[in-house]
Amino acid sequence: MILAGKAHPQDREGQELIRLWNNFAKRPELRTRLIFLRDYNMRQAEWLTQGVDVWINTPRRPWEASGTSGMKILANGGLNLSELDGWWQEAYAPDVGWALGDGKEHGDDPGVDAVEADALYRLLEEEIVPEFYDRDEDGIPSRWVRRIRESMARLAPQFSANRTVREYTEKFYLPAARDYAARIETIGDVSRGIARWKQDVSTFWPLVRFGEISVEETKECLSFSVAVYLGELSSDMVRVELYADGEAGRPSHVEAMQRQQGGSAPAGYHRYAARISPVRPALEFTPRVVPYHPLVRGPLELPNIIWQR
């Protein structure tokens, strides 16, 4: 086992942990089995990354910043064993690695820490280590290699700087450039219209509220219907959406709800509806109202949002 790492100069707890690691590595019975590398740096990180079989990451959720350390393992043929937090909540699947936790936040509960520690040891002892040493007649761990190939093929293209830069360019930089060109196209008329829209939304937003909501479930679909009071705002100034948070490896789900003509909405209310495939329980979905303008990038420019409670 090779241990390496650094603590911030003001991180006394981290420094104490490293001191304990160093002393632990000096025990005579561990001299041939455990090494602590001092003065951890980028060069050491490169060497270690190239030789890693399993990358273990055990932060308390939600303290994983993003997970770039686990991402760089992908291209080096390593596998991840990590908390369902940061990137791994999105990337994890049983055939590409292993996961800890339930994808929920539990604060500093020591009971949860104990449960996850037991899960970590169980995974290592009962699944990961046996699979690594399960070799064929040529000494090749076939199941392990299949898992590596699946991890590299599926995750490496998705969690890479190339994909990140491409998506930023396609989804944000180019649309922002087009929106800017549209705003200045008519010598300020568009910009003045956006300013009036923002002022109206800010003025009348406190009046927006939800009415009753109904849900019908069948084997084929989930049907949601909700009444929304917009007050002085017109229906084309907002968007009503059905939202489900991402968890346990599943992405978040956003579905635009359609305004219904006529119907049984109370006076002053608008009726919105959506039908979706029952891939997730109805209780995981929540309607919300957000401002809408075709040339405004929300929530960056106007972060207002109202949730149905």
Side-chain angles (χ1 to χ4, degrees), residues 170-186:
E170 295 174 350
K171 294 184 177 181
F172 299 101
Y173 301 150
L174 294 179
R178 288 193 294 268
D179 290 349
Y180 173 76
R183 291 187 187 193
I184 65 173
E185 188 177 38
T186 54

Side-chain angles (χ1 to χ4, degrees), residues 36-306:
F36 178 75
L37 297 180
R38 299 179 180 180
D39 300 322
Y40 185 63
N41 55 36
M42 293 290 286
R43 177 66 64 179
Q44 287 187 7
E46 181 181 356
W47 293 336
L48 289 171
T49 302
Q50 292 174 358
V52 163
D53 292 305
V54 180
W55 191 263
I56 301 176
N57 190 33
T58 58
R60 275 178 175 164
R61 182 184 168 91
W63 297 109
E64 173 58 73
S66 60
T68 52
S69 63
M71 296 178 196
K72 68 174 179 280
I73 290 300
L74 300 173
N76 286 278
L79 297 171
N80 281 273
L81 164 57
S82 181
E83 184 77 19
L84 284 173
D85 192 14
W87 82 292
W88 194 234
Q89 174 158 341
E90 181 181 350
Y92 167 70
D95 56 342
V96 296
W98 300 271
L100 296 169
D102 57 7
K104 299 179 182 178
E105 297 175 19
H106 300 281
D108 297 336
D109 186 346
V112 175
D113 289 346
V115 169
E116 294 194 2
D118 288 342
L120 171 62
Y121 294 130
R122 185 194 63 77
L123 283 169
L124 288 170
E125 294 173 6
E126 298 179 9
E127 297 185 27
I128 297 173
V129 173
E131 183 173 314
F132 182 80
Y133 285 103
D134 180 19
R135 310 291 173 111
D136 60 20
E137 59 274 13
D138 297 319
I140 304 298
S142 301
R143 288 192 298 158
W144 190 271
V145 172
R146 284 198 299 270
R147 195 184 294 269
I148 290 174
R149 289 182 172 180
E150 188 65 27
S151 173
M152 295 181 73
R154 188 191 310 174
L155 301 183
Q158 182 180 0
F159 296 94
S160 70
N162 286 340
R163 193 272 304 165
T164 301
V165 172
R166 182 176 66 252
E167 286 195 2
Y168 267 96
T169 300
E170 295 174 350
K171 294 184 177 181
F172 299 101
Y173 301 150
L174 294 179
R178 288 193 294 268
D179 290 349
Y180 173 76
R183 291 187 187 193
I184 65 173
E185 188 177 38
T186 54
I187 319 178
D189 288 348
V190 172
S191 295
R192 283 191 287 270
I194 292 175
R196 287 193 297 270
W197 173 83
K198 287 184 176 181
Q199 180 61 48
D200 288 343
V201 169
S202 298
T203 300
F204 300 115
W205 194 254
L207 300 176
V208 178
R209 59 184 181 272
F210 279 99
E212 49 82 22
I213 180 173
S214 63
V215 182
E216 294 183 6
E217 300 185 52
T218 67
K219 293 182 179 180
E220 290 75 25
C221 72
L222 300 175
S223 298
F224 293 82
S225 177
V226 64
V228 182
Y229 181 80
L230 299 179
E232 298 298 321
L233 297 177
S234 63
S235 59
D236 60 353
M237 297 174 68
V238 302
R239 175 171 287 169
V240 180
E241 298 173 335
L242 200 58
Y243 177 84
D245 202 2
E247 62 177 31
R250 294 179 299 185
S252 59
H253 184 109
V254 180
E255 185 84 18
M257 302 188 74
Q258 303 301 316
R259 181 169 173 264
Q260 307 298 296
Q261 301 296 330
S264 57
Y269 282 77
H270 300 266
R271 175 71 62 182
Y272 287 83
R275 298 180 65 186
I276 60 175
S277 175
V279 293
R280 300 176 62 165
L283 290 176
E284 294 187 8
F285 291 90
T286 304
R288 67 183 185 182
V289 182
V290 295
Y292 173 75
H293 189 288
L295 296 180
V296 173
R297 292 289 163 182
L300 295 177
E301 295 187 68
L302 206 61
N304 303 61
I305 187 169
I306 294 177

